[in-house]
Each structure stands twice: as C-alpha cells, then as structure tokens.
Amino acid sequence: MENSNPQKQDTFQNQLKTFNKLLTGAKMAKLSSCILVGISIGLVIRSRENNLYVMLLLMGVLAIVFFIDKFLSLKDIKQKSYTQTTLVASISKFKTYMVNRKKYEMYFIAFWILTLIPTVSIHFDSNIFGVLSVLAYLIFVGVFGYLAYKKTEKEIAFLESTMEYELQL
C-alpha cells in the first residue's frame, strides 16, 4: 500500500507536467497571434498613404484581436495549484478550449491573410514570386499548426486515459 502512494504522486506530477506543457503551448499560440497583430500594425504604418490598405489591415487586426479575446483565453483553465480532481476538470476545460480554437482558428487566420494580400503584393511590386513565397511560408506554418493540433489531441487523450485509470485505482 505504501508503494502505491508515491507512484500515484509521481504519476500525478507527470500528468501535471504534461498539462503545464499544453498550457505553455496555448500561451505560445496567443503570443503568435499577438505577433500577427504586430505585423499588421507595422504594415498599417508602412501603408498609411493608402486608406484602403489601412482599412483592410485594421479589419485583420480586429479579427485577430477578437479571436485572441474569444478563443485564446485561458482564464477559466489556469489555476495556481492542482489536485487530482481539479486537474481532471482543467483537462476537460482545456479539451473544450482546443475544440473551439481548432474550429475557428483557420477562419480567422484565413481572413487575416486575405487582408494582407493587397499590401504584400504592393510591397513585392506585384512580383508573383514574392507573393507566392509569402503564401508558401503561411502554408508551411499552417501545416505545422495542424501537426501541433494532432499532437495536442493525442496528449489530451493520453492525459484523460491516465486520469481515468488513476481514479479507478
């Protein structure tokens, strides 16, 4: 009996460590969205002579800010300390957070990209190679984002299964 307690504690610590890594990844997603806002604002400053481009870029900024506020908030998930029960609840909330984020992220990012196209095409002097390079980079980032979602889903499923197993013991 005494041996199962330290083992449960080690398992809980590993689960907590994995969950904290997932939270760190979510914070990084929020940071990268803030960087997108910064890119758009930089392009607004650079394109300030053309009101149409400025308006398009600001629409992209508003879309990303709305996305950050509505879908990237971790305030209901993060806690100062966790117990076995609160960790289970937080994992469940995080799973819902990821489902909602995955559901809408592509739409907001695609809209943001659309607001960039006119400005980027002017910046590259309508050079098709430059525009295609930017789009290729964005597709590259999108593929890695998709792979990150898949990895996160697997980690959440693993956490849920280990938590269920622990609660049965």
Side-chain angles (χ1 to χ4, degrees), residues 57-81:
L57 291 166
L58 290 177
M59 286 173 45
V61 166
L62 289 175
I64 297 297
V65 167
F66 177 79
F67 178 72
I68 290 169
D69 182 55
K70 187 79 172 162
F71 299 105
L72 295 180
S73 175
L74 297 171
K75 65 182 173 202
D76 294 335
I77 300 170
K78 285 176 32 178
Q79 297 181 10
K80 292 186 188 244
S81 63

PDB file of all heavy atoms in Angstrom, residues 57-81:
ATOM      1  N   LEU A  57      -6.118  46.209 -43.439  1.00  0.00           N
ATOM      2  CA  LEU A  57      -5.208  45.711 -42.409  1.00  0.00           C
ATOM      3  C   LEU A  57      -5.819  45.846 -41.013  1.00  0.00           C
ATOM      4  O   LEU A  57      -5.684  44.946 -40.174  1.00  0.00           O
ATOM      5  CB  LEU A  57      -3.872  46.434 -42.487  1.00  0.00           C
ATOM      6  CG  LEU A  57      -3.029  46.121 -43.718  1.00  0.00           C
ATOM      7  CD1 LEU A  57      -1.894  47.124 -43.866  1.00  0.00           C
ATOM      8  CD2 LEU A  57      -2.490  44.701 -43.649  1.00  0.00           C
ATOM      9  N   LEU A  58      -6.499  46.956 -40.767  1.00  0.00           N
ATOM     10  CA  LEU A  58      -7.134  47.150 -39.460  1.00  0.00           C
ATOM     11  C   LEU A  58      -8.286  46.170 -39.247  1.00  0.00           C
ATOM     12  O   LEU A  58      -8.530  45.738 -38.115  1.00  0.00           O
ATOM     13  CB  LEU A  58      -7.603  48.593 -39.293  1.00  0.00           C
ATOM     14  CG  LEU A  58      -6.472  49.624 -39.136  1.00  0.00           C
ATOM     15  CD1 LEU A  58      -7.036  51.032 -39.052  1.00  0.00           C
ATOM     16  CD2 LEU A  58      -5.612  49.306 -37.924  1.00  0.00           C
ATOM     17  N   MET A  59      -8.971  45.798 -40.320  1.00  0.00           N
ATOM     18  CA  MET A  59     -10.004  44.763 -40.199  1.00  0.00           C
ATOM     19  C   MET A  59      -9.360  43.436 -39.792  1.00  0.00           C
ATOM     20  O   MET A  59      -9.906  42.700 -38.961  1.00  0.00           O
ATOM     21  CB  MET A  59     -10.770  44.617 -41.513  1.00  0.00           C
ATOM     22  CG  MET A  59     -11.738  45.754 -41.775  1.00  0.00           C
ATOM     23  SD  MET A  59     -12.524  45.740 -43.412  1.00  0.00           S
ATOM     24  CE  MET A  59     -12.997  44.064 -43.642  1.00  0.00           C
ATOM     25  N   GLY A  60      -8.204  43.150 -40.358  1.00  0.00           N
ATOM     26  CA  GLY A  60      -7.468  41.936 -39.971  1.00  0.00           C
ATOM     27  C   GLY A  60      -7.030  41.983 -38.516  1.00  0.00           C
ATOM     28  O   GLY A  60      -7.124  40.984 -37.796  1.00  0.00           O
ATOM     29  N   VAL A  61      -6.572  43.161 -38.081  1.00  0.00           N
ATOM     30  CA  VAL A  61      -6.177  43.338 -36.680  1.00  0.00           C
ATOM     31  C   VAL A  61      -7.376  43.083 -35.768  1.00  0.00           C
ATOM     32  O   VAL A  61      -7.272  42.349 -34.774  1.00  0.00           O
ATOM     33  CB  VAL A  61      -5.602  44.759 -36.433  1.00  0.00           C
ATOM     34  CG1 VAL A  61      -5.503  45.069 -34.951  1.00  0.00           C
ATOM     35  CG2 VAL A  61      -4.247  44.901 -37.103  1.00  0.00           C
ATOM     36  N   LEU A  62      -8.510  43.669 -36.105  1.00  0.00           N
ATOM     37  CA  LEU A  62      -9.709  43.473 -35.283  1.00  0.00           C
ATOM     38  C   LEU A  62     -10.126  42.012 -35.231  1.00  0.00           C
ATOM     39  O   LEU A  62     -10.527  41.511 -34.174  1.00  0.00           O
ATOM     40  CB  LEU A  62     -10.861  44.343 -35.799  1.00  0.00           C
ATOM     41  CG  LEU A  62     -10.718  45.838 -35.570  1.00  0.00           C
ATOM     42  CD1 LEU A  62     -11.872  46.595 -36.233  1.00  0.00           C
ATOM     43  CD2 LEU A  62     -10.671  46.149 -34.082  1.00  0.00           C
ATOM     44  N   ALA A  63     -10.032  41.331 -36.345  1.00  0.00           N
ATOM     45  CA  ALA A  63     -10.396  39.906 -36.374  1.00  0.00           C
ATOM     46  C   ALA A  63      -9.475  39.099 -35.451  1.00  0.00           C
ATOM     47  O   ALA A  63      -9.953  38.264 -34.673  1.00  0.00           O
ATOM     48  CB  ALA A  63     -10.328  39.364 -37.798  1.00  0.00           C
ATOM     49  N   ILE A  64      -8.187  39.350 -35.514  1.00  0.00           N
ATOM     50  CA  ILE A  64      -7.243  38.598 -34.675  1.00  0.00           C
ATOM     51  C   ILE A  64      -7.420  38.964 -33.203  1.00  0.00           C
ATOM     52  O   ILE A  64      -7.384  38.082 -32.332  1.00  0.00           O
ATOM     53  CB  ILE A  64      -5.787  38.816 -35.139  1.00  0.00           C
ATOM     54  CG1 ILE A  64      -5.585  38.281 -36.554  1.00  0.00           C
ATOM     55  CG2 ILE A  64      -4.792  38.179 -34.170  1.00  0.00           C
ATOM     56  CD1 ILE A  64      -5.786  36.776 -36.697  1.00  0.00           C
ATOM     57  N   VAL A  65      -7.646  40.235 -32.916  1.00  0.00           N
ATOM     58  CA  VAL A  65      -7.872  40.639 -31.516  1.00  0.00           C
ATOM     59  C   VAL A  65      -9.137  39.966 -30.975  1.00  0.00           C
ATOM     60  O   VAL A  65      -9.152  39.476 -29.843  1.00  0.00           O
ATOM     61  CB  VAL A  65      -7.943  42.179 -31.392  1.00  0.00           C
ATOM     62  CG1 VAL A  65      -8.479  42.612 -30.040  1.00  0.00           C
ATOM     63  CG2 VAL A  65      -6.565  42.786 -31.639  1.00  0.00           C
ATOM     64  N   PHE A  66     -10.187  39.915 -31.777  1.00  0.00           N
ATOM     65  CA  PHE A  66     -11.417  39.224 -31.364  1.00  0.00           C
ATOM     66  C   PHE A  66     -11.123  37.747 -31.123  1.00  0.00           C
ATOM     67  O   PHE A  66     -11.573  37.168 -30.127  1.00  0.00           O
ATOM     68  CB  PHE A  66     -12.508  39.387 -32.429  1.00  0.00           C
ATOM     69  CG  PHE A  66     -13.766  38.640 -32.100  1.00  0.00           C
ATOM     70  CD1 PHE A  66     -14.671  39.162 -31.190  1.00  0.00           C
ATOM     71  CD2 PHE A  66     -14.043  37.419 -32.693  1.00  0.00           C
ATOM     72  CE1 PHE A  66     -15.838  38.484 -30.869  1.00  0.00           C
ATOM     73  CE2 PHE A  66     -15.190  36.714 -32.382  1.00  0.00           C
ATOM     74  CZ  PHE A  66     -16.096  37.244 -31.464  1.00  0.00           C
ATOM     75  N   PHE A  67     -10.361  37.128 -32.015  1.00  0.00           N
ATOM     76  CA  PHE A  67     -10.008  35.718 -31.871  1.00  0.00           C
ATOM     77  C   PHE A  67      -9.222  35.485 -30.581  1.00  0.00           C
ATOM     78  O   PHE A  67      -9.483  34.527 -29.848  1.00  0.00           O
ATOM     79  CB  PHE A  67      -9.204  35.248 -33.088  1.00  0.00           C
ATOM     80  CG  PHE A  67      -8.754  33.829 -32.999  1.00  0.00           C
ATOM     81  CD1 PHE A  67      -9.661  32.789 -33.129  1.00  0.00           C
ATOM     82  CD2 PHE A  67      -7.424  33.528 -32.774  1.00  0.00           C
ATOM     83  CE1 PHE A  67      -9.254  31.467 -33.044  1.00  0.00           C
ATOM     84  CE2 PHE A  67      -7.002  32.215 -32.687  1.00  0.00           C
ATOM     85  CZ  PHE A  67      -7.923  31.181 -32.816  1.00  0.00           C
ATOM     86  N   ILE A  68      -8.263  36.349 -30.300  1.00  0.00           N
ATOM     87  CA  ILE A  68      -7.465  36.225 -29.076  1.00  0.00           C
ATOM     88  C   ILE A  68      -8.369  36.311 -27.850  1.00  0.00           C
ATOM     89  O   ILE A  68      -8.281  35.482 -26.936  1.00  0.00           O
ATOM     90  CB  ILE A  68      -6.367  37.319 -29.013  1.00  0.00           C
ATOM     91  CG1 ILE A  68      -5.289  37.052 -30.053  1.00  0.00           C
ATOM     92  CG2 ILE A  68      -5.746  37.398 -27.618  1.00  0.00           C
ATOM     93  CD1 ILE A  68      -4.309  38.207 -30.248  1.00  0.00           C
ATOM     94  N   ASP A  69      -9.253  37.300 -27.857  1.00  0.00           N
ATOM     95  CA  ASP A  69     -10.125  37.512 -26.700  1.00  0.00           C
ATOM     96  C   ASP A  69     -11.129  36.381 -26.528  1.00  0.00           C
ATOM     97  O   ASP A  69     -11.365  35.906 -25.419  1.00  0.00           O
ATOM     98  CB  ASP A  69     -10.859  38.851 -26.847  1.00  0.00           C
ATOM     99  CG  ASP A  69     -11.744  39.151 -25.659  1.00  0.00           C
ATOM    100  OD1 ASP A  69     -11.228  39.135 -24.524  1.00  0.00           O
ATOM    101  OD2 ASP A  69     -12.954  39.377 -25.860  1.00  0.00           O
ATOM    102  N   LYS A  70     -11.718  35.928 -27.608  1.00  0.00           N
ATOM    103  CA  LYS A  70     -12.811  34.957 -27.537  1.00  0.00           C
ATOM    104  C   LYS A  70     -12.325  33.513 -27.450  1.00  0.00           C
ATOM    105  O   LYS A  70     -12.930  32.714 -26.733  1.00  0.00           O
ATOM    106  CB  LYS A  70     -13.694  35.135 -28.783  1.00  0.00           C
ATOM    107  CG  LYS A  70     -14.937  34.329 -28.791  1.00  0.00           C
ATOM    108  CD  LYS A  70     -15.994  34.958 -27.945  1.00  0.00           C
ATOM    109  CE  LYS A  70     -17.289  34.189 -28.154  1.00  0.00           C
ATOM    110  NZ  LYS A  70     -18.240  34.421 -27.134  1.00  0.00           N
ATOM    111  N   PHE A  71     -11.251  33.160 -28.141  1.00  0.00           N
ATOM    112  CA  PHE A  71     -10.877  31.754 -28.269  1.00  0.00           C
ATOM    113  C   PHE A  71      -9.508  31.386 -27.690  1.00  0.00           C
ATOM    114  O   PHE A  71      -9.174  30.206 -27.633  1.00  0.00           O
ATOM    115  CB  PHE A  71     -10.922  31.330 -29.735  1.00  0.00           C
ATOM    116  CG  PHE A  71     -12.289  31.457 -30.336  1.00  0.00           C
ATOM    117  CD1 PHE A  71     -12.579  32.485 -31.214  1.00  0.00           C
ATOM    118  CD2 PHE A  71     -13.292  30.575 -29.996  1.00  0.00           C
ATOM    119  CE1 PHE A  71     -13.850  32.614 -31.760  1.00  0.00           C
ATOM    120  CE2 PHE A  71     -14.565  30.696 -30.533  1.00  0.00           C
ATOM    121  CZ  PHE A  71     -14.846  31.719 -31.412  1.00  0.00           C
ATOM    122  N   LEU A  72      -8.715  32.346 -27.290  1.00  0.00           N
ATOM    123  CA  LEU A  72      -7.392  32.024 -26.755  1.00  0.00           C
ATOM    124  C   LEU A  72      -7.243  32.330 -25.268  1.00  0.00           C
ATOM    125  O   LEU A  72      -6.149  32.274 -24.729  1.00  0.00           O
ATOM    126  CB  LEU A  72      -6.295  32.742 -27.550  1.00  0.00           C
ATOM    127  CG  LEU A  72      -6.147  32.335 -29.005  1.00  0.00           C
ATOM    128  CD1 LEU A  72      -5.024  33.120 -29.667  1.00  0.00           C
ATOM    129  CD2 LEU A  72      -5.907  30.851 -29.146  1.00  0.00           C
ATOM    130  N   SER A  73      -8.327  32.643 -24.618  1.00  0.00           N
ATOM    131  CA  SER A  73      -8.285  32.962 -23.191  1.00  0.00           C
ATOM    132  C   SER A  73      -8.173  31.684 -22.364  1.00  0.00           C
ATOM    133  O   SER A  73      -8.930  30.735 -22.554  1.00  0.00           O
ATOM    134  CB  SER A  73      -9.533  33.737 -22.792  1.00  0.00           C
ATOM    135  OG  SER A  73      -9.540  33.945 -21.403  1.00  0.00           O
ATOM    136  N   LEU A  74      -7.243  31.688 -21.444  1.00  0.00           N
ATOM    137  CA  LEU A  74      -7.038  30.547 -20.552  1.00  0.00           C
ATOM    138  C   LEU A  74      -7.491  30.842 -19.127  1.00  0.00           C
ATOM    139  O   LEU A  74      -7.224  30.058 -18.218  1.00  0.00           O
ATOM    140  CB  LEU A  74      -5.552  30.164 -20.535  1.00  0.00           C
ATOM    141  CG  LEU A  74      -4.960  29.685 -21.841  1.00  0.00           C
ATOM    142  CD1 LEU A  74      -3.449  29.554 -21.730  1.00  0.00           C
ATOM    143  CD2 LEU A  74      -5.572  28.357 -22.243  1.00  0.00           C
ATOM    144  N   LYS A  75      -8.192  31.941 -18.926  1.00  0.00           N
ATOM    145  CA  LYS A  75      -8.514  32.363 -17.560  1.00  0.00           C
ATOM    146  C   LYS A  75      -9.377  31.355 -16.807  1.00  0.00           C
ATOM    147  O   LYS A  75      -9.273  31.249 -15.597  1.00  0.00           O
ATOM    148  CB  LYS A  75      -9.163  33.744 -17.561  1.00  0.00           C
ATOM    149  CG  LYS A  75     -10.501  33.807 -18.244  1.00  0.00           C
ATOM    150  CD  LYS A  75     -11.051  35.211 -18.258  1.00  0.00           C
ATOM    151  CE  LYS A  75     -12.307  35.233 -19.113  1.00  0.00           C
ATOM    152  NZ  LYS A  75     -12.614  36.526 -19.599  1.00  0.00           N
ATOM    153  N   ASP A  76     -10.214  30.589 -17.484  1.00  0.00           N
ATOM    154  CA  ASP A  76     -11.052  29.605 -16.803  1.00  0.00           C
ATOM    155  C   ASP A  76     -10.340  28.269 -16.613  1.00  0.00           C
ATOM    156  O   ASP A  76     -10.868  27.381 -15.952  1.00  0.00           O
ATOM    157  CB  ASP A  76     -12.348  29.367 -17.594  1.00  0.00           C
ATOM    158  CG  ASP A  76     -13.236  30.595 -17.632  1.00  0.00           C
ATOM    159  OD1 ASP A  76     -13.118  31.434 -16.714  1.00  0.00           O
ATOM    160  OD2 ASP A  76     -14.043  30.716 -18.578  1.00  0.00           O
ATOM    161  N   ILE A  77      -9.162  28.124 -17.190  1.00  0.00           N
ATOM    162  CA  ILE A  77      -8.459  26.841 -17.155  1.00  0.00           C
ATOM    163  C   ILE A  77      -7.311  26.860 -16.154  1.00  0.00           C
ATOM    164  O   ILE A  77      -7.134  25.928 -15.382  1.00  0.00           O
ATOM    165  CB  ILE A  77      -7.940  26.475 -18.563  1.00  0.00           C
ATOM    166  CG1 ILE A  77      -9.111  26.363 -19.537  1.00  0.00           C
ATOM    167  CG2 ILE A  77      -7.133  25.195 -18.533  1.00  0.00           C
ATOM    168  CD1 ILE A  77      -8.714  26.245 -20.985  1.00  0.00           C
ATOM    169  N   LYS A  78      -6.531  27.931 -16.167  1.00  0.00           N
ATOM    170  CA  LYS A  78      -5.345  28.012 -15.320  1.00  0.00           C
ATOM    171  C   LYS A  78      -5.726  28.157 -13.855  1.00  0.00           C
ATOM    172  O   LYS A  78      -6.664  28.853 -13.518  1.00  0.00           O
ATOM    173  CB  LYS A  78      -4.488  29.204 -15.720  1.00  0.00           C
ATOM    174  CG  LYS A  78      -3.712  28.991 -16.981  1.00  0.00           C
ATOM    175  CD  LYS A  78      -2.927  30.185 -17.437  1.00  0.00           C
ATOM    176  CE  LYS A  78      -2.405  31.058 -16.356  1.00  0.00           C
ATOM    177  NZ  LYS A  78      -1.615  32.172 -16.809  1.00  0.00           N
ATOM    178  N   GLN A  79      -4.968  27.481 -13.005  1.00  0.00           N
ATOM    179  CA  GLN A  79      -5.133  27.596 -11.565  1.00  0.00           C
ATOM    180  C   GLN A  79      -3.761  27.709 -10.933  1.00  0.00           C
ATOM    181  O   GLN A  79      -2.761  27.358 -11.530  1.00  0.00           O
ATOM    182  CB  GLN A  79      -5.851  26.358 -11.011  1.00  0.00           C
ATOM    183  CG  GLN A  79      -7.240  26.182 -11.533  1.00  0.00           C
ATOM    184  CD  GLN A  79      -7.891  24.939 -10.920  1.00  0.00           C
ATOM    185  OE1 GLN A  79      -7.363  24.344  -9.999  1.00  0.00           O
ATOM    186  NE2 GLN A  79      -9.038  24.574 -11.437  1.00  0.00           N
ATOM    187  N   LYS A  80      -3.740  28.200  -9.698  1.00  0.00           N
ATOM    188  CA  LYS A  80      -2.464  28.314  -9.003  1.00  0.00           C
ATOM    189  C   LYS A  80      -1.943  26.961  -8.551  1.00  0.00           C
ATOM    190  O   LYS A  80      -0.755  26.705  -8.580  1.00  0.00           O
ATOM    191  CB  LYS A  80      -2.590  29.269  -7.817  1.00  0.00           C
ATOM    192  CG  LYS A  80      -2.826  30.696  -8.246  1.00  0.00           C
ATOM    193  CD  LYS A  80      -2.802  31.634  -7.084  1.00  0.00           C
ATOM    194  CE  LYS A  80      -3.233  32.999  -7.553  1.00  0.00           C
ATOM    195  NZ  LYS A  80      -2.245  33.980  -7.445  1.00  0.00           N
ATOM    196  N   SER A  81      -2.842  26.106  -8.113  1.00  0.00           N
ATOM    197  CA  SER A  81      -2.429  24.764  -7.700  1.00  0.00           C
ATOM    198  C   SER A  81      -3.507  23.773  -8.128  1.00  0.00           C
ATOM    199  O   SER A  81      -4.655  24.144  -8.343  1.00  0.00           O
ATOM    200  CB  SER A  81      -2.215  24.698  -6.188  1.00  0.00           C
ATOM    201  OG  SER A  81      -3.428  24.944  -5.522  1.00  0.00           O
TER     202      SER A  81
END
